[in-house]
Amino acid sequence: MRNVGGAHRGLNMWLVQRASALIMALYLPGFLVYALVVGPLDFAAWHGLFVPLAVKVSSLLFIAALLVHAWIGLREIFIDYVHPMTIRLPLLFLFGTLYLGCLIWAADILWGVK
Amino acid sequence: MKFRIYRYDPESDAKPRMQEYVLDFDPQGKKVLDALIAIKETLDESLAFRRSCREGVCGSDGLNINGVNSLACVTALEGLKEPIDIRPLPRLAVIRDLIVDMGQFYQHYKAVKPYLINLDPEPENERLQSPEERAELDGLYECILCGCCTTSCPSFWWNPDKFLGPAALLQAYRVIADTRDQATDERLDYLEDPYRLFRCHGIMNCVEVCPKGLNPTEAIGKIKTLLVKRSL
């Protein structure tokens, strides 16, 4: 059988990877400045950083962007190096599930901060 | 001068070997191809390699010289570390010694339909372009299809059958960028796939080795921009 590639895929993944990088690039300096303004970071101050809802939301967005970015990067690596579909598909599923779990866990941690 | 040259005849040799040659040769002003021709004439007539124009125009003597893909006919001998290691272009099947099977490479070239598609009736004279429109093709049309870029690209090494490679993608953009071509949408359809174009990770080995100083990565970036533009 001829080896065919699917049309109309690839662009979205590439775009989402750029978009997630943008979110991270905006969040990280912003958070750094915010933390510096708050001052010396002992445990109480660090804890206090995450009390405002805006920080919770932006931090969760950042973590979501990080995980999406990482998953697409892994997909690229698997497409390049892991050729048998019987291994590639379970790997993509495994890391997809793992990262989704991480996201829910991160949400739980962030909203646990009172 | 000392050379270590890749030798392999798939019909009689069990595996490839590197053969040493010591050539009494003044490298002043000479190119690697001059040395190869001298080795073939004076030391070993069984050595096989391709060459034609011997001045960087035909693109038939793309080789891996001291680990870098380049054209033997334009690579100066002076300054090369000895022994000079000469191998065939990576990742292509060896037919004999330094001669590789370019079939896969040409197949990708063919796949991007490297010719103008224009269904309008032929005008009386030529199809005209403004100087600005013509300038868009600079840095694209000069490609001589030597294969140095594609065979230096790790993405091509991992998926040589599916990823088109920098040379074919540069040619794809050459026709996309041409105002006389009418098949832009079909061309972009063909490239919008996880493999054909999007295996490019911007490694830029292609830019580094191109003997004509072209920039396939930039052309690939422009195709990506067009893909984004039409999807929004």
Side-chain angles (χ1 to χ4, degrees):
Chain A
M1 206 183 91
R2 284 195 61 179
N3 224 336
V4 292
H8 296 282
R9 288 187 299 118
L11 177 66
N12 289 345
M13 289 287 178
W14 180 77
L15 256 186
V16 169
Q17 195 166 39
R18 260 77 203 148
S20 57
L22 187 70
I23 292 175
M24 290 190 280
L26 290 173
Y27 174 87
L28 281 173
F31 184 79
L32 197 69
V33 170
Y34 169 59
L36 284 175
V37 167
V38 166
L41 288 175
D42 52 12
F43 178 76
W46 179 256
H47 191 264
L49 283 180
F50 293 93
V51 171
L53 181 66
V55 181
K56 288 193 209 297
V57 171
S58 58
S59 298
L60 190 64
L61 258 178
F62 165 75
I63 292 163
L66 178 72
L67 292 170
V68 165
H69 196 87
W71 187 82
I72 294 176
L74 275 176
R75 174 183 172 270
E76 299 290 321
I77 294 169
F78 295 154
I79 290 179
D80 281 350
Y81 298 101
V82 185
H83 286 222
M85 199 197 60
T86 46
I87 306 175
R88 191 192 287 173
L89 197 60
L91 274 174
L92 286 170
F93 177 75
L94 177 73
F95 279 95
T97 313
L98 192 72
Y99 287 179
L100 197 63
C102 287
L103 184 68
I104 296 168
W105 186 19
D108 182 56
I109 292 169
L110 282 166
W111 264 265
V113 177
K114 296 263 163 30
Chain B
M1 299 192 81
K2 265 182 150 171
F3 294 85
R4 284 179 76 236
I5 300 180
Y6 180 98
R7 303 297 311 271
Y8 183 46
D9 182 350
E11 282 178 11
S12 56
D13 302 346
K15 56 178 189 182
R17 66 197 151 86
M18 296 301 285
Q19 189 169 341
E20 295 218 2
Y21 294 99
V22 180
L23 186 66
D24 187 19
F25 204 60
D26 177 17
Q28 176 90 36
K30 300 257 176 57
K31 308 292 182 189
V32 172
L33 182 62
D34 297 316
L36 283 176
I37 291 171
I39 289 170
K40 194 174 170 74
E41 278 177 355
T42 61
L43 298 176
D44 187 349
E45 61 177 13
S46 71
L47 178 66
F49 56 88
R50 286 196 183 105
R51 87 277 177 276
S52 179
C53 76
R54 54 112 189 90
E55 56 184 14
V57 175
C58 72
S60 50
D61 63 350
L63 293 172
N64 186 281
I65 300 163
N66 276 359
V68 180
N69 287 358
S70 52
L71 296 179
C73 56
V74 296
T75 305
L77 278 172
E78 283 171 283
L80 283 180
K81 195 172 158 274
E82 287 187 53
I84 298 168
D85 215 82
I86 303 179
R87 294 164 190 265
L89 290 177
R91 198 58 174 98
L92 297 176
V94 171
I95 295 172
R96 212 182 107 185
D97 299 344
L98 302 175
I99 298 176
V100 289
D101 180 356
M102 299 280 281
Q104 181 77 76
F105 179 82
Y106 292 134
Q107 215 175 330
H108 288 323
Y109 179 55
K110 187 178 159 198
V112 301
K113 300 188 178 158
Y115 41 83
L116 294 183
I117 298 175
N118 189 322
L119 300 177
D120 285 346
E122 248 178 75
E124 205 131 310
N125 297 315
E126 65 270 50
R127 297 185 201 273
L128 290 175
Q129 279 193 304
S130 71
E132 294 76 39
E133 289 168 346
R134 169 61 189 77
E136 282 294 308
L137 309 180
D138 287 337
L140 304 171
Y141 77 92
E142 298 94 330
C143 174
I144 55 173
L145 299 173
C146 61
C148 286
C149 60
T150 295
T151 57
S152 70
C153 175
S155 291
F156 178 76
W157 298 342
W158 312 145
N159 289 291
D161 52 336
K162 301 196 191 88
F163 175 55
L164 295 177
L169 290 167
L170 185 85
Q171 288 315 298
Y173 185 64
R174 185 250 169 269
V175 276
I176 288 170
D178 197 307
T179 49
R180 296 163 296 181
D181 185 81
Q182 296 177 332
T184 312
D185 222 27
E186 292 88 313
R187 295 183 190 284
L188 293 179
D189 277 347
Y190 181 71
L191 295 172
E192 193 172 350
D193 159 283
Y195 286 96
R196 290 175 191 138
L197 176 111
F198 281 102
R199 281 306 87 218
C200 171
H201 304 312
I203 297 162
M204 294 181 87
N205 277 4
C206 52
V207 182
E208 201 165 301
V209 299
C210 178
K212 308 302 275 186
L214 307 178
N215 190 334
T217 308
E218 192 189 355
I220 292 168
K222 285 178 174 170
I223 298 176
K224 283 177 178 168
T225 308
L226 287 174
L227 284 169
V228 174
K229 255 189 195 164
R230 81 168 184 163
S231 72
L232 293 175

